[in-house]
Amino acid sequence: MKPTELSIGNLVMYNGKVVKVEQITKHKIGYHTKPNETRMNYARLCEIEPIPITEELLTKIGFILPEHKEFYIMCCINGKDNSIRLTKYFNLWNAEIFASHPEVVMLECTILGLRFVHELQNAYYLITGKELEIKI
């Protein structure tokens, strides 16, 4: 992975475990192994992998999978002001993100071609200005 693909707070895989990116350098990421840990651990960028967006993962996060599966539409409401609707075409996910802003009644943005959790997290933050809290 490249450092430009990542943001603080993104979830990635390292040594078969999900880790949250706490620091990003040119060649490494920093992460904690336990909550409230002060010592930073590091992994080389070449050692981390993105987490693919899967139906199983999305249901764990809180997305609702409809019974019909001609094409996949999943919906997750994160709080009262923001929501995400995901649609799957082939192996790519398209995200429609709806966000409430003080200056605008409702802002809608479509992000095409997502494959990984960190891409979904980055898109959500870009539109809403808030982190997409994911517990895996």
Side-chain angles (χ1 to χ4, degrees), residues 7-8 16 19 39 53 56 63 86 99 122:
S7 298
I8 303 298
V19 298
R39 191 185 82 130
I53 298 173
E56 180 183 351
F63 283 79
L86 289 177
N122 291 344

Side-chain angles (χ1 to χ4, degrees), residues 2-119:
K2 297 176 185 166
T4 54
E5 295 176 56
L6 297 172
S7 298
I8 303 298
N10 283 162
L11 298 180
V12 294
M13 293 292 288
Y14 174 63
N15 281 341
K17 294 182 181 177
V18 175
V19 298
K20 184 176 182 179
V21 176
E22 302 286 345
Q23 186 179 49
I24 304 169
T25 70
K26 189 175 179 179
H27 301 288
K28 297 185 275 188
I29 63 153
Y31 67 96
H32 294 113
T33 55
K34 299 173 188 168
N36 302 320
E37 182 179 41
T38 56
R39 191 185 82 130
M40 188 74 70
N41 298 288
Y42 292 93
R44 293 184 301 188
L45 287 171
C46 62
E47 297 174 323
I48 64 169
E49 295 185 26
I51 301 169
I53 298 173
T54 64
E55 292 175 31
E56 180 183 351
L57 177 70
L58 291 173
T59 54
K60 281 183 184 178
I61 296 170
F63 283 79
I64 299 167
L65 180 65
E67 291 180 25
H68 61 81
K69 291 189 180 184
E70 294 118 25
F71 60 96
Y72 301 96
I73 297 178
M74 299 181 189
C75 188
C76 177
I77 304 299
N78 292 315
K80 63 180 181 173
D81 297 330
N82 304 312
S83 66
I84 303 171
R85 181 171 53 225
L86 289 177
T87 309
K88 183 179 182 182
Y89 295 102
F90 303 102
N91 290 328
L92 298 175
W93 294 89
N94 298 325
E96 292 176 88
I97 300 173
F98 305 89
S100 176
H101 289 282
E103 301 86 28
V104 183
V105 175
M106 183 60 78
L107 175 66
E108 177 184 347
C109 186
T110 301
I111 309 291
L112 303 175
L114 300 175
R115 294 176 298 160
F116 304 112
V117 170
H118 72 277
E119 294 172 335

